[in-house]
Amino acid sequence: MRFYEFESRRIVERAGIPVTDYGFCTSAEEARSIAERIDGPTVVKSQVLTGGRMKAGGVKFADTPAEAAVHAEQILALEISGHMPVGVLVDPRAEVEQEYYAAVLWDGRAKRPMMLFSDMGGIDIEEVAEKHPDHVGRGHLSNLHPISDFQAKQVVAEAGGLTGRELTRATPILTRLAQLQRDFDLTLAEINPLARLADGSFVALDAHMEMEDEAVGRHRSMLAEIGVELDEPRELYEPSEFERNVKAIDEADHRGVIQGKDHGFEGNLGLVIGAGGGSLTLTDAVRSQGGKPANYAEIGGNPSVSKSKGLAMEVLKKEGVEKIAVMMSIVSNTRVDIVARGVIKACLELGKDPAETITVFRIPGAWEEEGAKILDKYGIEFKDRSTSMWEAAGEAVERIRGDG
Amino acid sequence: MSILLSEDFTFIVQGITGREAVNLTRECLDYGSKVVGGVTPGRRGREVHGVPVFDTVAQAVENHGSAIDGSVVTVPPAFTKDAVFEAIENGIGLVVVVTERIPRRDVAQMVELASERGARIIGPNCLGVIAPGVGKMGGIGGPARDAAKAYAPGPVGVMSRSGGMTTEISSSLTAAGLGVSTAVSIGGDAIIGSTYAELMPLFEADEGTKAIVIYTEPGGRMEAELVDWRSEHDSRLPIVAFMAGKFMDDEEMQGMSFGHAGTIVEGAEDSATQKIARLEQAGIPVVERIDEIPGAVKEKLGAGAGA
């Protein structure tokens, strides 16, 4: 789960990391009063879950509260890459002496969290790491043993040779960020820039936090405290009707799992496919042979007839989809006969001839003899494991082309 | 020959009274594996297909009278870490974690404890391990009859991030007359107990294994780790790879994950295209078609025999 900037600031603030005297609001009037309280130049920032705010005009500078209100009005109405802001953040314009980068994220290869610190903040860290490797400090953390200040200190000291008050002031901030990453299952805990102000104090000017979806359930009280409502959608994009419908069918019945996605797919061949790795393999196989999938799908576990039917119907209801391919890698849990019944029912209920609509049925494995019998009744050829996944996908592509 | 499992390998099933666990217990027993106990807190005294159920792993070990080699953990995500800790602290050396949707921190903690205690974890989010004709640990391959059909003994070691594709690939190796030494469903999560590179030394030491097949996906740096391992060790084993999920490299798919949680691409290096390039560069052919795997393996084996 991704957090808005104002939420990320609340998270770091709770952890004892200094932040500016910012305010979050949803109206121009509130923006004016926050700017009045700040009593100085401000920055008004759109709160959206997407990058490129600055370029899109979602970040504006104001010298007076009246100006802040005007900016807030405009930004609140400004859509950025398909996202409407949930509000604006009004921030004092700080006098920054130096910008730093601080982050803690997972290093999958080491299977441990990794601290990153740089004295070249405010810019893309990957670029800094590539061009100025001596300005980036790194250090891994245990998952079991307590996090200690010296570990953060080592990382800070390694970044461009920081010492003096810079070192002693930045160290506890990185330690707290590391603790935060661990305590709240953050897949990314980043402060960029972390700023040193004219008076030598450090403050987080922007923060970017992401929490692992699987762990959201165990952090309800912290989330409630910072004002996150759990039923808010936090998707990368707005789910389509197809995606919403498949999800609803899946949730209505606990047996088996079906998933469907069609974001980025615009083809004419409907895919009723599974399981996890099988779906990836089959989607590639269709595309590599010139086919155009209308969607991605996954059948997993042992879904009921009505659930299999539901997925096939939703695929067939998609605009421009006349035919489907029903394919899976060898199954041991999913029953071939149940999927066969489901997809045939879907065709019949939509008034379509199953033999015409189902371009290929290739699901080898559990209950395949029974499945083959059912398919045979409707004039559909059952493909067992002697037809490879690549060949099955190719046949589906051929059949849809033949109709072209 | 095989890795991880042997004829007299003993294991328990934690969470044995769950529906899927009952099935996999049946399958493993039918396949000839030695399931010596099960654990579900509060259910001591029951039996699952003749396997005694205990409240604790310690009770299962005591009942068995000597150390138990392995455990299959199939409990809900919130309880998995504790179950794995319990297995490791009771001297179990090989833990197969079937459960999916476990937060990464919990997985990392299990893995770290295992490494401190000298234990090994396979998974999470996996179907387990099968050594054809020797035994199977987990739901891999399904019922014993189906498992026997897809998995014949042979010279190829299989490692796969997808449980289902482990069987699909092994079945094609069996049909081609090659067969499998051991197949490991390594799990589909971002952090897993045993990566390709971490299992390679075991295959290397197994005389029965003559070649390796890996099934891989976008996300993570496991393939780079394998390439590094190969360049650092003078491995005798040729490797053939298959990459699924190439469509995820499309612009519209950025930031999305498909199939398994671990397919989330967190940097350009994690993409299918870059992984394929890296593997090919290291002399590991990445076949385009899934059905080209047996042929590519035969080619490698033939070349090895001629050398």
Side-chain angles (χ1 to χ4, degrees):
Chain A
M1 180 167 85
R2 298 176 304 157
F3 292 105
Y4 293 99
E5 181 190 358
F6 74 97
E7 294 168 341
S8 294
R9 289 209 193 190
R10 286 176 184 166
I11 293 172
V12 298
E13 196 177 0
R14 274 183 90 254
I17 295 171
V19 294
T20 59
D21 182 25
Y22 71 94
F24 169 75
C25 63
T26 54
S27 74
E29 264 324 295
E30 290 169 280
R32 181 199 303 273
S33 58
I34 294 168
E36 277 165 1
R37 184 192 76 209
I38 289 170
D39 194 23
T42 55
V43 192
V44 184
K45 299 165 97 176
S46 175
Q47 296 299 291
V48 279
L49 290 178
T50 182
R53 284 183 304 183
M54 188 67 103
K55 254 191 196 160
V59 178
K60 289 188 167 170
F61 299 90
D63 289 322
T64 64
E67 210 183 332
V70 172
H71 288 334
E73 183 91 57
Q74 286 170 354
I75 292 171
L76 284 166
L78 177 73
E79 188 183 281
I80 301 176
S81 319
H83 296 257
M84 285 305 289
V86 292
V88 292
L89 190 144
V90 183
D91 209 14
R93 222 183 308 163
E95 276 189 48
V96 176
E97 293 271 309
Q98 164 90 34
E99 293 189 334
Y100 307 84
Y101 174 94
V104 183
L105 40 81
W106 280 107
D107 177 351
R109 191 161 161 173
K111 307 179 192 183
R112 288 168 182 254
M114 181 172 69
M115 294 179 284
L116 276 170
F117 192 87
S118 174
D119 61 343
M120 298 176 75
I123 50 175
D124 181 31
I125 188 66
E126 289 192 25
E127 204 183 309
V128 178
E130 199 178 301
K131 293 186 182 151
H132 310 280
D134 50 328
H135 285 271
V136 180
R138 286 189 179 82
H140 287 102
L141 293 163
S142 162
N143 301 289
L144 293 172
H145 304 293
I147 297 169
S148 204
D149 269 327
F150 83 88
Q151 296 169 297
K153 186 181 66 180
Q154 287 177 180
V155 173
V156 174
E158 208 189 293
L162 286 196
T163 180
R165 285 178 74 184
E166 271 180 284
L167 174 81
T168 56
R169 289 197 166 181
T171 296
I173 292 176
L174 185 57
T175 311
R176 283 173 194 155
L177 195 62
Q179 195 64 50
L180 201 55
Q181 190 272 344
R182 177 190 283 188
D183 291 346
F184 296 110
D185 289 284
L186 301 177
T187 49
L188 175 64
E190 181 184 78
I191 300 175
N192 188 27
L194 172 68
R196 177 162 51 86
L197 305 181
D199 66 357
S201 65
F202 277 72
V203 58
L205 281 191
D206 197 352
H208 185 181
M209 306 277 141
E210 292 184 18
M211 182 184 280
E212 192 165 28
D213 289 338
E214 282 74 10
V216 167
R218 63 188 183 193
H219 301 302
R220 283 175 199 278
S221 62
M222 184 278 271
L223 292 169
E225 211 180 292
I226 64 162
V228 175
E229 288 168 38
L230 280 177
D231 48 353
E232 273 176 69
R234 291 272 168 112
E235 311 281 344
L236 285 172
Y237 59 90
E238 196 70 25
S240 67
E241 193 188 342
F242 168 75
E243 291 169 345
R244 283 197 307 270
N245 291 350
V246 173
K247 196 169 181 216
I249 295 166
D250 184 51
E251 283 168 357
D253 181 346
H254 68 92
R255 290 166 292 179
V257 182
I258 55 164
Q259 285 182 57
K261 291 182 186 175
D262 63 353
H263 178 80
F265 290 92
E266 283 163 358
N268 57 349
L269 177 60
L271 298 183
V272 179
I273 55 177
S279 292
L280 298 180
T281 303
L282 289 160
T283 306
D284 280 347
V286 167
R287 292 192 4 154
S288 299
Q289 295 178 79
K292 294 186 175 60
N295 65 289
Y296 173 84
E298 264 174 49
I299 300 172
N302 187 15
S304 60
V305 171
S306 71
K307 207 164 183 172
S308 311
K309 182 192 81 177
L311 174 62
M313 281 183 79
E314 290 306 322
V315 173
L316 278 166
K317 279 195 243 167
K318 280 178 59 66
E319 207 182 303
V321 174
E322 291 293 325
K323 293 183 190 299
I324 54 173
V326 185
M327 309 180 285
M328 288 180 76
S329 48
I330 298 172
V331 294
S332 53
N333 197 5
T334 311
R335 274 175 54 175
V336 179
D337 60 325
I338 288 180
V339 179
R341 267 182 228 281
V343 295
I344 289 168
K345 266 193 145 174
C347 296
L348 296 176
E349 284 189 22
L350 291 169
K352 292 170 177 287
D353 176 2
E356 279 300 309
T357 310
I358 298 170
T359 54
V360 65
F361 188 106
R362 191 266 187 196
I363 308 181
W367 299 70
E368 64 179 15
E369 294 86 1
E370 291 79 1
K373 274 183 212 154
I374 296 160
L375 291 165
D376 188 52
K377 256 190 242 169
Y378 291 89
I380 303 158
E381 190 191 347
F382 169 70
K383 305 271 188 196
D384 65 9
R385 69 190 69 192
S386 63
T387 301
S388 75
M389 294 167 81
W390 172 273
E391 290 165 346
E395 285 189 32
V397 173
E398 271 311 305
R399 272 199 64 183
I400 208 156
R401 248 196 219 131
D403 300 328
Chain B
M1 294 290 278
S2 58
I3 67 162
L4 299 167
L5 305 180
S6 59
E7 302 270 354
D8 49 7
F9 187 93
T10 54
F11 63 92
I12 56 170
V13 177
Q14 288 173 266
I16 193 166
T17 51
R19 196 168 47 89
E20 277 184 42
V22 168
N23 286 341
L24 80 83
T25 301
R26 169 87 269 158
E27 293 171 11
C28 292
L29 288 168
D30 288 349
Y31 197 76
S33 297
K34 295 187 170 58
V35 188
V36 298
V39 174
T40 300
R43 304 282 171 88
R44 178 164 53 93
R46 297 196 184 190
E47 283 196 350
V48 171
H49 298 303
V51 174
V53 179
F54 303 94
D55 287 329
T56 67
V57 174
Q59 289 168 0
V61 173
E62 197 192 337
N63 175 266
H64 183 60
S66 61
I68 294 171
D69 301 317
S71 176
V72 176
V73 176
T74 164
V75 302
F79 309 111
T80 309
K81 181 178 78 179
D82 184 55
V84 173
F85 279 17
E86 186 183 2
I88 294 171
E89 297 294 18
N90 280 281
I92 286 174
L94 180 65
V95 185
V96 166
V97 185
V98 175
T99 312
E100 56 182 305
R101 300 189 63 81
I102 307 171
R104 245 187 267 198
R105 173 170 50 130
D106 291 18
V107 178
Q109 288 178 330
M110 298 171 198
V111 170
E112 192 169 332
L113 186 71
S115 116
E116 288 184 3
R117 298 284 188 271
R120 174 183 292 282
I121 290 173
I122 305 288
N125 191 4
C126 81
L127 291 183
V129 184
I130 183 167
V134 176
K136 80 164 189 143
M137 188 177 174
I140 189 163
R145 191 176 61 108
D146 294 352
K149 186 172 171 185
Y151 292 90
V156 188
V158 178
M159 295 185 274
S160 167
R161 285 170 64 173
S162 157
M165 291 304 289
T166 316
T167 297
E168 181 74 35
I169 290 168
S170 299
S171 175
S172 74
L173 293 167
T174 295
L178 286 163
V180 170
S181 63
T182 305
V184 187
S185 160
I186 61 174
D189 282 357
I191 294 181
I192 55 172
S194 301
T195 58
Y196 306 123
E198 289 168 321
L199 289 169
M200 278 306 288
L202 278 66
F203 279 117
E204 194 72 32
D206 174 44
E207 283 174 19
T209 302
K210 309 282 186 214
I212 298 290
V213 171
I214 66 164
Y215 163 93
T216 185
E217 297 175 347
R221 304 283 153 92
M222 245 182 280
E223 299 71 19
E225 188 194 10
L226 175 64
V227 165
D228 292 348
W229 184 88
R230 277 246 299 181
S231 68
E232 287 157 17
H233 298 79
D234 187 23
S235 176
R236 66 181 173 85
L237 296 170
I239 303 177
V240 170
F242 176 76
M243 165 72 63
K246 292 186 275 258
F247 71 92
M248 287 177 60
D249 281 3
D250 281 16
E251 187 74 35
E252 296 86 1
M253 312 294 172
Q254 297 309 305
M256 297 170 72
S257 74
F258 291 84
H260 302 110
T263 59
I264 185 88
V265 173
E266 288 168 338
E269 271 181 67
D270 302 1
S271 69
T273 311
Q274 291 215 13
K275 284 190 184 193
I276 291 171
R278 188 181 290 260
L279 289 165
E280 296 264 3
Q281 239 169 34
I284 299 173
V286 183
V287 296
E288 158 82 9
R289 298 170 47 157
I290 185 77
D291 51 13
E292 286 169 343
I293 292 173
V297 171
K298 280 183 178 167
E299 207 170 286
K300 288 278 184 189
L301 287 174

